[in-house]
Amino acid sequence: MYRYDEFDHQFVRERTRQFRDQAERRLRGDLSEDEFRPLRLMNGLYLQLHAYMLRIAIPYGTLSSRQMRQLALIAERWDKGYGHFTTRQNIQFNWIKLEDTADILDALADVEMHAIQTSGNCIRNVTTDHWAGAAADEITDPRPVGELIRQWSSLHPEFSYLPRKFKIAVTGAPHDRAAVKVHDIGLRLHRNDAGETGWEVIVGGGLGRTPMVGVTVRDFLPQHELIGYLEAIMRVYNLYGRRDNKYKARIKILVHEIGHDKFRTEVEAEYANRPHPSTEVEERELKRISAYFAPPPFEKLPRWSPSFEEAKLSHPDFARWARNNLGAHHTDGYAIVNISLKPEGGIPGDATAHQMRVMADLAERYSFDELRVSHSQNIVLPHVRKDDLFAVWTALDEVGLSAANYGLAGDIIACPGLDYCALATARSIPIAQSISRKFAESKKQDEIGRIKINISGCINACGHHHVGHIGILGLDKKGEEFYQITLGGSSAENASIGTILGPGFAGHEVADAIETILDTYLKLREPDEEFLVTYRRLGAKPFKEALYATA
């Protein structure tokens, strides 16, 4: 994990002191809300329906146990005892008082964390594959590059007031678990025939009001050219991006309006004219950063663990959890543990302070003191010995964190919706809870298999509904909440935007509608065919007919 140096510590502390002064002036009335708003947003502080919400950055989703314990302390001392992990690998606290915010930022600085640039028209928290550095299919760990981008983009004077918010995602594996194609910039690592690694640079993806899949502007960019090339992209966007209409201000609109060929030409011209072609500083800094991400001291273990296999035979619930919630590790004798924050009827992404501390303890004891936050609102222990898996599961089970539904119908992504968010037009949480209860029976979830159900409470798509295999969008219709259903979305390497099936449903009808869709899939699928493959083979027609047959 990356550790702050003297500059990092000073940088974050000074930012906190600056915000403390701004907040005090707002509380005294020296600053109006209009004057204070851009200042608080640049420090991750939103004014929601009932209270302030503080969004804390977790760069590339990586946490230490000490940091997780500090989040638990913040939840208890300044919130209501829990936090909400988000699709941006952040955590949000929804019940914050303005007068406490600077103290919270100081507490974060104590453990090398902050809330800088988690909002505002700037480059947001850089995200990556939550299995980075552990996945069996990985080319190389992308997190050093994520940290390099974080350092480059933090309070960058040229890119702090962009036309609109800007999001970057990085992955180092062939299978995309970071949704790089639906980001403003997505970086995907490849290895060429000579064995060299380089980046595919994807630009112009994004969800929200106008969902789009990004386009490739460079197939293979050598790593030492990355920062210079990113600067060229940002300069083109900063120059040509629209500021007259916030709904048309994202880079995806610019790429769409001028065409990706023209956009690529502009970027290449800007890159060719860069004033400082030397990349010596970036290369030296990347080498320094990479040292912090050296692999932990793995033991030399056999691939087969007799104790693990015996535990599965003796405990069917553990066996099901192991089948669904473990990922393949690149080192023999280890596994990736995916902790579902989606218990039956629970609120997706929420974790209590006690649960945070338990996960921190498990990371410290069994996973080289490391946790990850996934963009599917779950927590990952990336490096666990197979011999220790039963002990980990037992501890998780004691605190309600042993749901064996990772990647299944119960593993629902959902934004906070109208229960918290001032922008939302409908509630998301009750819909997620009703679907979770509908598919609580493990046999049914296992029969359905891998499926992504995503829910957003408004068109801003914080729940990524556009790229759910089944997407649900809550809207207001003459004062009533109703929900559109889309099918066929994907955030993986085969990224696609879902298609609206037809008229929306009342909230109490949604879970039954999802059941109809999935029952139709079970009737029509080929052997071992996952939902998305079936949908792409058959199209929307059979699902639409089943769903609206009695309409």
Side-chain angles (χ1 to χ4, degrees), residues 286-300:
L286 183 59
K287 185 176 181 180
R288 183 188 73 84
I289 291 169
S290 296
Y292 288 96
F293 293 93
F298 295 119
E299 297 176 44
K300 188 172 181 59

Side-chain angles (χ1 to χ4, degrees), residues 118-132:
T118 56
S119 184
N121 294 337
C122 55
I123 297 173
R124 300 285 185 90
N125 188 44
V126 178
T127 58
T128 190
D129 181 356
H130 47 274
W131 290 1

Side-chain angles (χ1 to χ4, degrees), residues 317-386:
D317 288 344
F318 171 65
R320 182 173 182 268
W321 177 84
R323 182 172 66 251
N324 292 329
N325 287 46
L326 299 182
H329 201 282
H330 59 51
T331 300
D332 286 348
Y334 289 84
I336 300 168
V337 172
N338 298 288
I339 303 172
S340 172
L341 299 184
K342 322 287 178 61
E344 178 188 342
I347 299 174
D350 277 13
T352 67
H354 180 55
Q355 289 173 327
M356 291 183 209
R357 289 194 178 97
V358 169
M359 291 188 285
D361 291 345
L362 291 173
E364 189 171 58
R365 182 172 181 181
Y366 297 113
S367 189
F368 297 100
D369 197 27
E370 193 171 327
L371 309 99
R372 309 285 177 76
V373 182
S374 77
H375 85 274
S376 57
Q377 299 175 288
N378 293 313
I379 302 296
V380 176
L381 301 177
H383 314 294
V384 179
R385 297 191 321 160
K386 289 182 179 179

Side-chain angles (χ1 to χ4, degrees), residues 194-454:
E196 301 164 323
T197 57
W199 296 98
E200 178 187 359
V201 183
I202 302 160
V203 180
L207 304 177
R209 187 174 299 270
T210 312
M212 294 183 183
V213 174
V215 298
T216 298
V217 295
R218 268 289 189 105
D219 293 309
F220 192 86
L221 181 74
Q223 185 151 283
H224 67 271
E225 298 183 36
L226 182 59
I227 294 299
Y229 201 79
L230 292 180
E231 287 199 342
I233 293 171
M234 300 305 301
R235 287 194 179 117
V236 171
Y237 171 53
N238 212 14
L239 179 62
Y240 295 112
R242 293 182 61 172
R243 287 180 163 86
D244 61 321
N245 183 339
K246 70 177 183 178
Y247 301 116
K248 296 184 180 296
R250 299 290 293 270
I251 194 171
K252 61 187 177 183
I253 303 298
L254 174 62
V255 174
H256 175 73
E257 288 186 346
I258 71 174
H260 67 268
D261 288 334
K262 171 67 173 173
F263 181 83
R264 184 188 298 113
T265 298
E266 291 283 346
V267 170
E268 293 293 344
E270 178 65 37
Y271 183 59
N273 291 328
R274 64 195 187 283
H276 302 293
S278 172
T279 58
E280 180 183 348
V281 173
E282 288 88 345
E283 290 182 90
R284 187 171 65 244
E285 182 62 12
L286 183 59
K287 185 176 181 180
R288 183 188 73 84
I289 291 169
S290 296
Y292 288 96
F293 293 93
F298 295 119
E299 297 176 44
K300 188 172 181 59
L301 300 171
R303 184 174 300 178
W304 181 267
S305 167
S307 64
F308 173 53
E309 300 300 330
E310 289 168 9
K312 288 193 292 182
L313 290 173
S314 303
H315 300 84
D317 288 344
F318 171 65
R320 182 173 182 268
W321 177 84
R323 182 172 66 251
N324 292 329
N325 287 46
L326 299 182
H329 201 282
H330 59 51
T331 300
D332 286 348
Y334 289 84
I336 300 168
V337 172
N338 298 288
I339 303 172
S340 172
L341 299 184
K342 322 287 178 61
E344 178 188 342
I347 299 174
D350 277 13
T352 67
H354 180 55
Q355 289 173 327
M356 291 183 209
R357 289 194 178 97
V358 169
M359 291 188 285
D361 291 345
L362 291 173
E364 189 171 58
R365 182 172 181 181
Y366 297 113
S367 189
F368 297 100
D369 197 27
E370 193 171 327
L371 309 99
R372 309 285 177 76
V373 182
S374 77
H375 85 274
S376 57
Q377 299 175 288
N378 293 313
I379 302 296
V380 176
L381 301 177
H383 314 294
V384 179
R385 297 191 321 160
K386 289 182 179 179
D387 291 347
D388 295 327
L389 289 170
F390 183 72
V392 169
W393 173 78
T394 301
L396 292 173
D397 192 50
E398 290 174 355
V399 293
L401 290 174
S402 64
N405 59 10
Y406 181 78
L408 303 181
D411 187 11
I412 299 163
I413 291 176
C415 70
L418 194 55
D419 286 303
Y420 295 97
C421 182
L423 301 176
T425 49
R427 292 173 298 166
S428 299
I429 292 171
I431 304 304
Q433 291 172 313
S434 65
I435 296 171
S436 172
R437 294 188 182 103
K438 173 71 73 172
F439 296 100
E441 206 271 314
S442 60
K443 184 178 178 181
K444 183 73 169 181
Q445 288 199 56
D446 290 342
E447 182 184 14
I448 294 165
R450 297 292 167 182
I451 185 77
K452 293 185 180 296
I453 302 175
N454 296 23

